[in-house]
PDB file of all heavy atoms in Angstrom:
ATOM      1  N   ILE A 224     -86.118 -92.283 -65.061  1.00 98.00           N
ATOM      2  CA  ILE A 224     -86.172 -93.475 -65.923  1.00 98.00           C
ATOM      3  C   ILE A 224     -84.999 -93.451 -66.915  1.00 98.00           C
ATOM      4  O   ILE A 224     -84.695 -92.404 -67.495  1.00 98.00           O
ATOM      5  CB  ILE A 224     -87.504 -93.481 -66.729  1.00 98.00           C
ATOM      6  CG1 ILE A 224     -88.710 -93.408 -65.801  1.00 98.00           C
ATOM      7  CG2 ILE A 224     -87.571 -94.660 -67.696  1.00 98.00           C
ATOM      8  CD1 ILE A 224     -89.032 -94.662 -65.060  1.00 98.00           C
ATOM      9  N   GLN A 225     -84.387 -94.615 -67.155  1.00 98.00           N
ATOM     10  CA  GLN A 225     -83.262 -94.675 -68.102  1.00 98.00           C
ATOM     11  C   GLN A 225     -83.733 -94.913 -69.537  1.00 98.00           C
ATOM     12  O   GLN A 225     -83.179 -94.383 -70.488  1.00 98.00           O
ATOM     13  CB  GLN A 225     -82.307 -95.804 -67.681  1.00 98.00           C
ATOM     14  CG  GLN A 225     -81.023 -95.857 -68.450  1.00 98.00           C
ATOM     15  CD  GLN A 225     -80.198 -94.595 -68.229  1.00 98.00           C
ATOM     16  OE1 GLN A 225     -80.062 -94.098 -67.110  1.00 98.00           O
ATOM     17  NE2 GLN A 225     -79.663 -94.042 -69.312  1.00 98.00           N
ATOM     18  N   LEU A 226     -84.774 -95.746 -69.682  1.00 98.00           N
ATOM     19  CA  LEU A 226     -85.253 -96.092 -71.033  1.00 98.00           C
ATOM     20  C   LEU A 226     -86.774 -96.114 -71.048  1.00 98.00           C
ATOM     21  O   LEU A 226     -87.400 -96.714 -70.166  1.00 98.00           O
ATOM     22  CB  LEU A 226     -84.735 -97.487 -71.413  1.00 98.00           C
ATOM     23  CG  LEU A 226     -85.480 -98.228 -72.539  1.00 98.00           C
ATOM     24  CD1 LEU A 226     -85.256 -97.557 -73.888  1.00 98.00           C
ATOM     25  CD2 LEU A 226     -85.020 -99.695 -72.618  1.00 98.00           C
ATOM     26  N   VAL A 227     -87.344 -95.431 -72.058  1.00 98.00           N
ATOM     27  CA  VAL A 227     -88.784 -95.594 -72.308  1.00 98.00           C
ATOM     28  C   VAL A 227     -88.922 -96.290 -73.652  1.00 98.00           C
ATOM     29  O   VAL A 227     -88.393 -95.817 -74.671  1.00 98.00           O
ATOM     30  CB  VAL A 227     -89.539 -94.245 -72.370  1.00 98.00           C
ATOM     31  CG1 VAL A 227     -91.034 -94.510 -72.557  1.00 98.00           C
ATOM     32  CG2 VAL A 227     -89.310 -93.426 -71.120  1.00 98.00           C
ATOM     33  N   SER A 280     -79.231 -89.049 -69.287  1.00 98.00           N
ATOM     34  CA  SER A 280     -78.513 -90.063 -70.084  1.00 98.00           C
ATOM     35  C   SER A 280     -79.487 -91.066 -70.718  1.00 98.00           C
ATOM     36  O   SER A 280     -79.057 -92.059 -71.297  1.00 98.00           O
ATOM     37  CB  SER A 280     -77.537 -90.824 -69.191  1.00 98.00           C
ATOM     38  OG  SER A 280     -78.255 -91.435 -68.127  1.00 98.00           O
ATOM     39  N   GLY A 281     -80.789 -90.768 -70.597  1.00 98.00           N
ATOM     40  CA  GLY A 281     -81.794 -91.746 -71.031  1.00 98.00           C
ATOM     41  C   GLY A 281     -82.164 -91.649 -72.505  1.00 98.00           C
ATOM     42  O   GLY A 281     -81.791 -90.711 -73.221  1.00 98.00           O
ATOM     43  N   SER A 282     -82.920 -92.666 -72.949  1.00 98.00           N
ATOM     44  CA  SER A 282     -83.333 -92.734 -74.362  1.00 98.00           C
ATOM     45  C   SER A 282     -84.767 -93.195 -74.473  1.00 98.00           C
ATOM     46  O   SER A 282     -85.303 -93.854 -73.567  1.00 98.00           O
ATOM     47  CB  SER A 282     -82.490 -93.752 -75.127  1.00 98.00           C
ATOM     48  OG  SER A 282     -81.143 -93.385 -75.077  1.00 98.00           O
ATOM     49  N   PHE A 284     -87.355 -95.235 -77.247  1.00 98.00           N
ATOM     50  CA  PHE A 284     -87.484 -96.062 -78.453  1.00 98.00           C
ATOM     51  C   PHE A 284     -88.974 -96.137 -78.756  1.00 98.00           C
ATOM     52  O   PHE A 284     -89.743 -96.676 -77.959  1.00 98.00           O
ATOM     53  CB  PHE A 284     -86.923 -97.481 -78.237  1.00 98.00           C
ATOM     54  CG  PHE A 284     -85.425 -97.535 -78.194  1.00 98.00           C
ATOM     55  CD1 PHE A 284     -84.714 -96.996 -77.125  1.00 98.00           C
ATOM     56  CD2 PHE A 284     -84.711 -98.132 -79.222  1.00 98.00           C
ATOM     57  CE1 PHE A 284     -83.322 -97.045 -77.090  1.00 98.00           C
ATOM     58  CE2 PHE A 284     -83.320 -98.189 -79.195  1.00 98.00           C
ATOM     59  CZ  PHE A 284     -82.624 -97.646 -78.123  1.00 98.00           C
ATOM     60  N   LYS A 343     -76.513 -92.877 -72.574  1.00 98.00           N
ATOM     61  CA  LYS A 343     -75.866 -94.167 -72.301  1.00 98.00           C
ATOM     62  C   LYS A 343     -76.005 -95.061 -73.527  1.00 98.00           C
ATOM     63  O   LYS A 343     -77.085 -95.146 -74.107  1.00 98.00           O
ATOM     64  CB  LYS A 343     -76.571 -94.806 -71.097  1.00 98.00           C
ATOM     65  CG  LYS A 343     -75.924 -96.057 -70.600  1.00 98.00           C
ATOM     66  CD  LYS A 343     -76.656 -96.613 -69.380  1.00 98.00           C
ATOM     67  CE  LYS A 343     -76.220 -95.955 -68.093  1.00 98.00           C
ATOM     68  NZ  LYS A 343     -76.687 -96.672 -66.899  1.00 98.00           N
ATOM     69  N   PHE A 344     -74.910 -95.719 -73.920  1.00 98.00           N
ATOM     70  CA  PHE A 344     -75.008 -96.636 -75.052  1.00 98.00           C
ATOM     71  C   PHE A 344     -73.972 -97.751 -74.918  1.00 98.00           C
ATOM     72  O   PHE A 344     -72.784 -97.486 -74.761  1.00 98.00           O
ATOM     73  CB  PHE A 344     -74.800 -95.894 -76.394  1.00 98.00           C
ATOM     74  CG  PHE A 344     -75.092 -96.786 -77.572  1.00 98.00           C
ATOM     75  CD1 PHE A 344     -76.403 -97.024 -77.961  1.00 98.00           C
ATOM     76  CD2 PHE A 344     -74.072 -97.425 -78.260  1.00 98.00           C
ATOM     77  CE1 PHE A 344     -76.687 -97.870 -79.019  1.00 98.00           C
ATOM     78  CE2 PHE A 344     -74.347 -98.277 -79.318  1.00 98.00           C
ATOM     79  CZ  PHE A 344     -75.661 -98.502 -79.698  1.00 98.00           C
ATOM     80  N   ASN A 345     -74.430 -98.976 -74.957  1.00 97.00           N
ATOM     81  CA  ASN A 345     -73.541-100.145 -74.902  1.00 97.00           C
ATOM     82  C   ASN A 345     -73.469-100.763 -76.293  1.00 97.00           C
ATOM     83  O   ASN A 345     -74.477-101.231 -76.807  1.00 97.00           O
ATOM     84  CB  ASN A 345     -74.084-101.186 -73.917  1.00 97.00           C
ATOM     85  CG  ASN A 345     -74.283-100.598 -72.532  1.00 97.00           C
ATOM     86  OD1 ASN A 345     -73.426 -99.857 -72.038  1.00 97.00           O
ATOM     87  ND2 ASN A 345     -75.412-100.896 -71.912  1.00 97.00           N
ATOM     88  N   LEU A 421     -86.889-106.883 -77.444  1.00 97.00           N
ATOM     89  CA  LEU A 421     -86.817-105.965 -76.302  1.00 97.00           C
ATOM     90  C   LEU A 421     -85.515-106.119 -75.532  1.00 97.00           C
ATOM     91  O   LEU A 421     -84.947-105.137 -75.041  1.00 97.00           O
ATOM     92  CB  LEU A 421     -88.022-106.211 -75.381  1.00 97.00           C
ATOM     93  CG  LEU A 421     -89.240-105.337 -75.701  1.00 97.00           C
ATOM     94  CD1 LEU A 421     -88.883-103.860 -75.587  1.00 97.00           C
ATOM     95  CD2 LEU A 421     -89.784-105.586 -77.084  1.00 97.00           C
ATOM     96  N   GLU A 422     -85.005-107.344 -75.471  1.00 97.00           N
ATOM     97  CA  GLU A 422     -83.718-107.550 -74.782  1.00 97.00           C
ATOM     98  C   GLU A 422     -82.622-106.754 -75.465  1.00 97.00           C
ATOM     99  O   GLU A 422     -81.746-106.186 -74.825  1.00 97.00           O
ATOM    100  CB  GLU A 422     -83.363-109.036 -74.781  1.00 97.00           C
ATOM    101  CG  GLU A 422     -84.093-109.809 -73.700  1.00 97.00           C
ATOM    102  CD  GLU A 422     -83.590-111.238 -73.577  1.00 97.00           C
ATOM    103  OE1 GLU A 422     -83.237-111.845 -74.603  1.00 97.00           O
ATOM    104  OE2 GLU A 422     -83.569-111.745 -72.464  1.00 97.00           O
ATOM    105  N   ARG A 423     -82.684-106.707 -76.786  1.00 97.00           N
ATOM    106  CA  ARG A 423     -81.642-105.981 -77.528  1.00 97.00           C
ATOM    107  C   ARG A 423     -81.722-104.484 -77.223  1.00 97.00           C
ATOM    108  O   ARG A 423     -80.705-103.830 -76.984  1.00 97.00           O
ATOM    109  CB  ARG A 423     -81.815-106.236 -79.022  1.00 97.00           C
ATOM    110  CG  ARG A 423     -80.647-105.771 -79.805  1.00 97.00           C
ATOM    111  CD  ARG A 423     -80.744-106.145 -81.247  1.00 97.00           C
ATOM    112  NE  ARG A 423     -80.266-107.489 -81.506  1.00 97.00           N
ATOM    113  CZ  ARG A 423     -80.167-108.002 -82.730  1.00 97.00           C
ATOM    114  NH1 ARG A 423     -80.501-107.276 -83.771  1.00 97.00           N
ATOM    115  NH2 ARG A 423     -79.726-109.222 -82.919  1.00 97.00           N
ATOM    116  N   ILE A 424     -82.939-103.944 -77.235  1.00 98.00           N
ATOM    117  CA  ILE A 424     -83.106-102.506 -76.957  1.00 98.00           C
ATOM    118  C   ILE A 424     -82.610-102.184 -75.538  1.00 98.00           C
ATOM    119  O   ILE A 424     -81.894-101.199 -75.311  1.00 98.00           O
ATOM    120  CB  ILE A 424     -84.591-102.103 -77.128  1.00 98.00           C
ATOM    121  CG1 ILE A 424     -84.987-102.225 -78.597  1.00 98.00           C
ATOM    122  CG2 ILE A 424     -84.864-100.714 -76.583  1.00 98.00           C
ATOM    123  CD1 ILE A 424     -86.463-102.027 -78.881  1.00 98.00           C
ATOM    124  N   ILE A 425     -83.002-103.041 -74.607  1.00 98.00           N
ATOM    125  CA  ILE A 425     -82.622-102.804 -73.204  1.00 98.00           C
ATOM    126  C   ILE A 425     -81.104-102.933 -73.034  1.00 98.00           C
ATOM    127  O   ILE A 425     -80.464-102.140 -72.344  1.00 98.00           O
ATOM    128  CB  ILE A 425     -83.392-103.788 -72.279  1.00 98.00           C
ATOM    129  CG1 ILE A 425     -84.893-103.442 -72.300  1.00 98.00           C
ATOM    130  CG2 ILE A 425     -82.851-103.757 -70.857  1.00 98.00           C
ATOM    131  CD1 ILE A 425     -85.799-104.463 -71.632  1.00 98.00           C
ATOM    132  N   ALA A 426     -80.520-103.938 -73.722  1.00 97.00           N
ATOM    133  CA  ALA A 426     -79.073-104.171 -73.566  1.00 97.00           C
ATOM    134  C   ALA A 426     -78.249-102.996 -74.079  1.00 97.00           C
ATOM    135  O   ALA A 426     -77.222-102.646 -73.488  1.00 97.00           O
ATOM    136  CB  ALA A 426     -78.675-105.448 -74.300  1.00 97.00           C
ATOM    137  N   ILE A 427     -78.679-102.360 -75.171  1.00 98.00           N
ATOM    138  CA  ILE A 427     -77.847-101.274 -75.720  1.00 98.00           C
ATOM    139  C   ILE A 427     -78.046 -99.948 -74.980  1.00 98.00           C
ATOM    140  O   ILE A 427     -77.186 -99.081 -75.055  1.00 98.00           O
ATOM    141  CB  ILE A 427     -78.056-101.054 -77.250  1.00 98.00           C
ATOM    142  CG1 ILE A 427     -79.494-100.692 -77.586  1.00 98.00           C
ATOM    143  CG2 ILE A 427     -77.599-102.240 -78.042  1.00 98.00           C
ATOM    144  CD1 ILE A 427     -79.719-100.397 -79.076  1.00 98.00           C
ATOM    145  N   SER A 428     -79.161 -99.793 -74.272  1.00 98.00           N
ATOM    146  CA  SER A 428     -79.440 -98.459 -73.724  1.00 98.00           C
ATOM    147  C   SER A 428     -79.475 -98.391 -72.205  1.00 98.00           C
ATOM    148  O   SER A 428     -79.685 -97.304 -71.658  1.00 98.00           O
ATOM    149  CB  SER A 428     -80.775 -97.959 -74.286  1.00 98.00           C
ATOM    150  OG  SER A 428     -81.795 -98.866 -73.943  1.00 98.00           O
ATOM    151  N   THR A 429     -79.309 -99.521 -71.531  1.00 98.00           N
ATOM    152  CA  THR A 429     -79.361 -99.496 -70.057  1.00 98.00           C
ATOM    153  C   THR A 429     -78.308-100.438 -69.470  1.00 98.00           C
ATOM    154  O   THR A 429     -77.776-101.292 -70.170  1.00 98.00           O
ATOM    155  CB  THR A 429     -80.742 -99.973 -69.532  1.00 98.00           C
ATOM    156  OG1 THR A 429     -80.892-101.364 -69.840  1.00 98.00           O
ATOM    157  CG2 THR A 429     -81.900 -99.201 -70.130  1.00 98.00           C
ATOM    158  N   ASP A 430     -78.084-100.287 -68.160  1.00 98.00           N
ATOM    159  CA  ASP A 430     -77.237-101.239 -67.418  1.00 98.00           C
ATOM    160  C   ASP A 430     -78.091-101.898 -66.336  1.00 98.00           C
ATOM    161  O   ASP A 430     -79.207-101.440 -66.047  1.00 98.00           O
ATOM    162  CB  ASP A 430     -76.069-100.488 -66.753  1.00 98.00           C
ATOM    163  CG  ASP A 430     -75.082 -99.970 -67.795  1.00 98.00           C
ATOM    164  OD1 ASP A 430     -74.817-100.704 -68.767  1.00 98.00           O
ATOM    165  OD2 ASP A 430     -74.612 -98.821 -67.645  1.00 98.00           O
ATOM    166  N   LYS A 431     -77.538-102.935 -65.749  1.00 97.00           N
ATOM    167  CA  LYS A 431     -78.237-103.630 -64.655  1.00 97.00           C
ATOM    168  C   LYS A 431     -78.684-102.618 -63.607  1.00 97.00           C
ATOM    169  O   LYS A 431     -77.945-101.693 -63.266  1.00 97.00           O
ATOM    170  CB  LYS A 431     -77.299-104.650 -64.009  1.00 97.00           C
ATOM    171  CG  LYS A 431     -77.434-106.027 -64.586  1.00 97.00           C
ATOM    172  CD  LYS A 431     -76.802-107.060 -63.648  1.00 97.00           C
ATOM    173  CE  LYS A 431     -77.192-108.460 -63.989  1.00 97.00           C
ATOM    174  NZ  LYS A 431     -76.953-108.982 -65.254  1.00 97.00           N
ATOM    175  N   GLY A 432     -79.899-102.766 -63.105  1.00 96.00           N
ATOM    176  CA  GLY A 432     -80.392-101.890 -62.037  1.00 96.00           C
ATOM    177  C   GLY A 432     -81.084-100.639 -62.560  1.00 96.00           C
ATOM    178  O   GLY A 432     -81.821 -99.981 -61.829  1.00 96.00           O
ATOM    179  N   ASP A 433     -80.888-100.277 -63.838  1.00 98.00           N
ATOM    180  CA  ASP A 433     -81.581 -99.113 -64.407  1.00 98.00           C
ATOM    181  C   ASP A 433     -83.074 -99.408 -64.504  1.00 98.00           C
ATOM    182  O   ASP A 433     -83.487-100.565 -64.547  1.00 98.00           O
ATOM    183  CB  ASP A 433     -81.056 -98.821 -65.826  1.00 98.00           C
ATOM    184  CG  ASP A 433     -79.692 -98.143 -65.806  1.00 98.00           C
ATOM    185  OD1 ASP A 433     -79.347 -97.548 -64.763  1.00 98.00           O
ATOM    186  OD2 ASP A 433     -78.983 -98.219 -66.829  1.00 98.00           O
ATOM    187  N   CYS A 434     -83.874 -98.328 -64.611  1.00 98.00           N
ATOM    188  CA  CYS A 434     -85.324 -98.527 -64.700  1.00 98.00           C
ATOM    189  C   CYS A 434     -85.834 -98.319 -66.126  1.00 98.00           C
ATOM    190  O   CYS A 434     -85.499 -97.345 -66.797  1.00 98.00           O
ATOM    191  CB  CYS A 434     -86.038 -97.573 -63.743  1.00 98.00           C
ATOM    192  SG  CYS A 434     -87.781 -98.002 -63.626  1.00 98.00           S
ATOM    193  N   VAL A 435     -86.643 -99.273 -66.573  1.00 98.00           N
ATOM    194  CA  VAL A 435     -87.217 -99.271 -67.926  1.00 98.00           C
ATOM    195  C   VAL A 435     -88.723 -99.045 -67.798  1.00 98.00           C
ATOM    196  O   VAL A 435     -89.380 -99.696 -66.984  1.00 98.00           O
ATOM    197  CB  VAL A 435     -86.969-100.652 -68.597  1.00 98.00           C
ATOM    198  CG1 VAL A 435     -87.635-100.729 -69.954  1.00 98.00           C
ATOM    199  CG2 VAL A 435     -85.476-100.957 -68.687  1.00 98.00           C
ATOM    200  N   LEU A 436     -89.261 -98.148 -68.627  1.00 98.00           N
ATOM    201  CA  LEU A 436     -90.709 -97.881 -68.588  1.00 98.00           C
ATOM    202  C   LEU A 436     -91.344 -98.231 -69.921  1.00 98.00           C
ATOM    203  O   LEU A 436     -90.821 -97.878 -70.983  1.00 98.00           O
ATOM    204  CB  LEU A 436     -90.933 -96.388 -68.305  1.00 98.00           C
ATOM    205  CG  LEU A 436     -92.346 -95.856 -68.583  1.00 98.00           C
ATOM    206  CD1 LEU A 436     -93.356 -96.395 -67.573  1.00 98.00           C
ATOM    207  CD2 LEU A 436     -92.353 -94.321 -68.560  1.00 98.00           C
ATOM    208  N   ALA A 449     -86.895-106.962 -69.281  1.00 97.00           N
ATOM    209  CA  ALA A 449     -86.192-106.195 -68.241  1.00 97.00           C
ATOM    210  C   ALA A 449     -85.872-107.102 -67.059  1.00 97.00           C
ATOM    211  O   ALA A 449     -84.757-107.087 -66.528  1.00 97.00           O
ATOM    212  CB  ALA A 449     -87.045-105.005 -67.805  1.00 97.00           C
ATOM    213  N   LEU A 452     -83.055-109.439 -67.721  1.00 96.00           N
ATOM    214  CA  LEU A 452     -81.741-108.773 -67.783  1.00 96.00           C
ATOM    215  C   LEU A 452     -81.381-108.026 -66.493  1.00 96.00           C
ATOM    216  O   LEU A 452     -80.410-107.275 -66.460  1.00 96.00           O
ATOM    217  CB  LEU A 452     -81.714-107.791 -68.962  1.00 96.00           C
ATOM    218  CG  LEU A 452     -81.803-108.419 -70.363  1.00 96.00           C
ATOM    219  CD1 LEU A 452     -81.819-107.350 -71.443  1.00 96.00           C
ATOM    220  CD2 LEU A 452     -80.645-109.377 -70.606  1.00 96.00           C
ATOM    221  N   GLY A 453     -82.189-108.201 -65.466  1.00 96.00           N
ATOM    222  CA  GLY A 453     -81.860-107.593 -64.168  1.00 96.00           C
ATOM    223  C   GLY A 453     -82.079-106.092 -64.116  1.00 96.00           C
ATOM    224  O   GLY A 453     -81.373-105.378 -63.412  1.00 96.00           O
ATOM    225  N   ARG A 454     -83.048-105.568 -64.853  1.00 97.00           N
ATOM    226  CA  ARG A 454     -83.387-104.139 -64.793  1.00 97.00           C
ATOM    227  C   ARG A 454     -84.689-103.979 -64.002  1.00 97.00           C
ATOM    228  O   ARG A 454     -85.516-104.895 -63.980  1.00 97.00           O
ATOM    229  CB  ARG A 454     -83.635-103.569 -66.201  1.00 97.00           C
ATOM    230  CG  ARG A 454     -82.411-103.067 -66.958  1.00 97.00           C
ATOM    231  CD  ARG A 454     -81.376-104.089 -67.214  1.00 97.00           C
ATOM    232  NE  ARG A 454     -80.404-103.667 -68.228  1.00 97.00           N
ATOM    233  CZ  ARG A 454     -79.357-104.378 -68.565  1.00 97.00           C
ATOM    234  NH1 ARG A 454     -79.092-105.539 -67.975  1.00 97.00           N
ATOM    235  NH2 ARG A 454     -78.523-103.954 -69.499  1.00 97.00           N
ATOM    236  N   ASP A 455     -84.890-102.792 -63.406  1.00 98.00           N
ATOM    237  CA  ASP A 455     -86.191-102.476 -62.808  1.00 98.00           C
ATOM    238  C   ASP A 455     -87.150-102.113 -63.931  1.00 98.00           C
ATOM    239  O   ASP A 455     -86.705-101.747 -65.027  1.00 98.00           O
ATOM    240  CB  ASP A 455     -86.061-101.262 -61.876  1.00 98.00           C
ATOM    241  CG  ASP A 455     -85.354-101.645 -60.596  1.00 98.00           C
ATOM    242  OD1 ASP A 455     -85.220-102.854 -60.337  1.00 98.00           O
ATOM    243  OD2 ASP A 455     -84.911-100.722 -59.880  1.00 98.00           O
TER     244      ASP A 455
END
Side-chain angles (χ1 to χ4, degrees):
I224 304 286
Q225 188 63 44
L226 160 69
V227 183
S280 58
S282 300
F284 286 70
K343 187 178 276 193
F344 188 79
N345 304 317
L421 269 301
E422 280 188 325
R423 192 174 276 185
I424 293 173
I425 293 170
I427 60 177
S428 59
T429 67
D430 291 320
K431 266 197 166 57
D433 284 339
C434 190
V435 176
L436 165 70
L452 294 178
R454 273 61 165 176
D455 286 346

